């Protein structure tokens, strides 16, 4: 059975390859450098640690969040299941945003022509967290147009208010008129398999990359839904470290004679698994948001995974940790540098897990809702 419940965040339409500018809706002042659309990163709204984080978006790119985000927020007690379901949320969440959908996010360095609104510059700790709504105004006409976020634990970003800006083609010397969009016309999977490196899971400090927990947490929600409540077996190694232990903690244990479903990676430039897994983890294209699709005769359920994480899991395990020829010279105790080794077990992001699972219609099934409720009640219990 195909697992079709994948949130629609694909980038659609002719304009996806064009370089554009966003300008103030009221006075036409340019508010961004020329930018090209990419898919909204899966970690966009997820906190990490208590450090200052880098920008969410690469320079020269923008993404659109299809869901409302930011104030005003309404608590679940005011919303109720029917109203939430109409918005594509099928399990209780603490609160839902009733802000405007379609916010546009850019790197702070791509913002132009804005000034801070001093009375809206609150934050929790070392920066701005956007709690008061837009905190940037158009420098020419004073209209509140965007929200700068740069507090610790949050990805640095400028979120343009969709109703306060207009999108224009970039007609500059390197703009749309002279831009060769042919190389970017649709999902080109060699973009993610070209260097086969992907997103390294472990930072030089020994901490897990902040990009991995939300990516794995979101994919884990799809995996648990695709399990149909049965234990799931994944390949040894990093797949077990990041998915296997979490699946063991969330799903019922394997018993003699019980059905076990199998999950494996599948995708571009990857030899297909000889054992026909029940579930395949496939990449979601970072630019178009498209989910890679296995051949039509495959009956496996499809679980989307952030492309950088997928690429690393798919290709880095091919590397041998041993020297190719001979051993180390006499007197040398280790190779240098050693591959980074994490100093804690991996913990998937429970916020990403819950946010994703709440948006899968399957969560209305009692067995899956029980798992959702268990994690929602204790979001830092094992495996999170
Ligand atoms: Zn203006």
């Amino acid at each position: 059975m195909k697992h079709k419940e994948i949130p629609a965040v694909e980038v659609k339409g002719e304009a996806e390859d064009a370089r554009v500018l966003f300008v103030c809706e009221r006075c036409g002042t340019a508010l961004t450098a020329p930018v090209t659309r990419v898919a909204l990163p899966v970690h966009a709204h997820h906190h990490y640690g208590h450090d200052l984080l880098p920008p969410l978006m690469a320079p020269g790119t923008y993404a659109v969040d299809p869901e409302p985000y930011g104030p005003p927020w309404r608590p679940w007690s005011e919303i109720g299941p029917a109203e939430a379901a109409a918005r594509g949320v099928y399990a209780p969440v603490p609160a839902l945003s009733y802000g405007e959908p379609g916010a546009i996010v850019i790197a702070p360095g791509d913002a132009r022509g804005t000034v801070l609104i001093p009375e809206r510059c609150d934050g929790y700790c070392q920066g701005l967290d956007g709690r008061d709504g837009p905190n940037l105004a158009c420098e020419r006409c004073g209209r509140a147009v965007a929200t700068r976020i740069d507090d610790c634990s949050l990805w640095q970003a400028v979120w343009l208010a969709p109703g306060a800006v207009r999108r224009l083609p970039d007609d500059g010397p390197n703009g749309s008129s002279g831009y060769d969009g042919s190389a970017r016309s649709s999902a080109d999977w060699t973009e993610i398999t070209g260097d086969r490196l992907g997103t390294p899971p472990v930072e030089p400090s020994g901490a897990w990359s902040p990009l991995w927990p939300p990516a794995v947490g979101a994919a884990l929600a799809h995996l648990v839904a695709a399990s149909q409540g049965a234990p799931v077996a994944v390949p040894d190694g990093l797949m077990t470290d990041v998915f296997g232990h979490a699946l063991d903690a969330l799903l019922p244990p394997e018993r003699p004679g019980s059905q076990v479903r199998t999950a494996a990676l599948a995708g571009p430039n990857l030899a297909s698994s000889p054992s026909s897994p029940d579930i395949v983890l496939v990449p979601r294209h970072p630019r178009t948001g498209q989910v890679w699709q296995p051949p039509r005769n495959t009956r496996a359920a499809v679980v989307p995974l952030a492309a950088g994480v997928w690429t690393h899991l798919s290709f880095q395990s091919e590397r041998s940790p041993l020297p190719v020829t001979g051993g180390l010279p006499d007197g040398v105790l280790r190779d240098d540098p050693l591959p980074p080794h994490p100093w804690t077990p991996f913990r998937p992001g429970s916020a990403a897990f819950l946010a994703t699972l709440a948006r899968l219609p399957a969560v209305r099934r009692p067995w899956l809702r029980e798992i959702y409720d268990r994690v929602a009640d204790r979001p830092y219990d094992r495996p999170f």
Side-chain angles (χ1 to χ4, degrees), residues 238 265 311-321:
L238 194 51
L265 295 157
T311 300
H312 188 93
L313 284 168
S314 295
F315 299 117
Q316 287 306 294
S317 59
E318 293 176 351
R319 292 193 167 184
S320 166

Side-chain angles (χ1 to χ4, degrees), residues 191-235:
E191 283 177 43
I192 68 163
T193 56
D195 64 5
R196 303 201 160 202
L197 288 174
T199 306
V202 182
E203 310 235 291
S205 67
W208 288 94
S209 161
L211 299 171
W212 276 60
V216 171
L220 185 62
H222 288 279
L223 258 177
V224 170
S227 75
Q228 299 176 10
V232 173
V234 301

Side-chain angles (χ1 to χ4, degrees), residues 208 212 216-217 220-221 223-224 230-254 263 281 313 341-342 344-349 353 371 374-375 381-384:
W208 288 94
W212 276 60
V216 171
L220 185 62
L223 258 177
V224 170
V232 173
V234 301
D236 289 340
L238 194 51
M239 281 285 283
T240 291
D241 291 341
V242 299
F243 285 112
H245 299 317
L247 288 163
D248 290 348
L250 293 169
L251 293 168
E254 186 180 345
L281 286 104
L313 284 168
H341 191 76
T344 57
F346 181 79
R347 291 163 54 203
F353 175 82
I371 293 173
R374 189 167 13 121
V375 177
D381 273 8
R382 181 175 169 261
F384 296 105

Side-chain angles (χ1 to χ4, degrees), residues 1-8 222 293 296 300-302 360-361:
M1 187 183 82
K2 285 264 184 190
H3 182 63
K4 293 184 190 292
E5 295 146 358
I6 294 166
H222 288 279
Q293 292 299 317
R296 284 189 179 278
V302 170
L360 300 182

Side-chain angles (χ1 to χ4, degrees), residues 23-29 31 113 137-143 145 164:
V23 302
C24 175
E25 194 270 335
R26 187 153 72 191
C27 75
T29 294
L31 300 175
C138 169
E139 69 176 357
R140 183 156 158 214
C141 74
R143 177 166 183 174
V145 289

